Amino acid sequence: MGTGLLYCRGMGKADRYYQEKLAKLTSKQRKYAKTLVKDDGMTQADAYREAYDVGENTSPKTVRDNASRTANRGGVKAAVEAGRAAETARELAAAGSRRRWIVDRLVSEAEGADSDAARVRALELLARQAGLFDSAGDRSATRAGSS
């Protein structure tokens, strides 16, 4: 049975879990779940219309009812939740990668900048990122709280 699911070496745990959940669904349920995960603003009814063969004479209430039933089926619901968790994990990983890249660039600048001002500015930004500087208001509130 070819499910069209792809496991790749760099896939995280959340992605693997999502793929495992998708593999347990029918092809239409899988398309419905993927559509809901892919487009967070899409309604259940819209995803249902995209995944299932809905006739043009099908009433909107019937589509909504069927979409709701499909969304609440255990396997579909679990797949959508797993897919959204995988999306969040990917976004966090991307943000972490960007942060590492920025810090690496600042370290490089601090170590090899041509001007003293550029080195000092890079060090200042690294110190702020590390939480070594806080605002004057934070310092006075900390002193007041410790006495």
Side-chain angles (χ1 to χ4, degrees):
M1 167 173 84
T3 61
L5 301 178
L6 174 68
Y7 289 90
C8 61
R9 189 180 189 117
M11 188 182 290
K13 287 181 184 179
D15 283 313
R16 283 191 298 275
Y17 183 71
Y18 175 45
Q19 294 299 321
E20 289 168 7
K21 293 297 178 189
L22 287 174
K24 296 177 182 177
L25 303 177
T26 67
S27 62
K28 289 182 180 185
Q29 288 173 335
R30 193 168 30 255
K31 184 171 183 179
Y32 176 78
K34 284 180 170 182
T35 302
L36 282 176
V37 169
K38 171 182 67 171
D39 188 352
D40 210 17
M42 183 172 279
T43 66
Q44 290 177 348
D46 290 338
Y48 186 85
R49 280 187 201 90
E50 190 169 312
Y52 289 84
D53 301 319
V54 177
E56 58 187 57
N57 294 331
T58 305
S59 78
K61 181 182 180 341
T62 300
V63 172
R64 283 191 309 273
D65 290 348
N66 290 341
S68 178
R69 264 194 298 281
T70 302
N72 288 307
R73 283 196 175 105
V76 174
K77 188 173 187 174
V80 170
E81 289 170 358
R84 289 184 175 151
E87 288 285 322
T88 300
R90 278 192 296 279
E91 289 168 7
L92 290 173
S97 293
R98 282 190 301 275
R99 182 182 179 117
R100 279 189 301 278
W101 181 84
I102 291 168
V103 169
D104 289 347
R105 295 287 300 155
L106 285 170
V107 167
S108 176
E109 189 68 22
E111 293 173 344
D114 290 337
S115 74
D116 290 340
R119 278 193 297 280
V120 169
R121 180 66 177 148
L123 288 169
E124 178 186 354
L125 291 171
L126 284 167
R128 284 184 192 275
Q129 187 276 330
L132 297 176
F133 296 147
D134 55 6
S135 68
D138 291 342
R139 283 192 298 273
S140 62
T142 302
R143 276 189 233 122
S146 63
S147 45

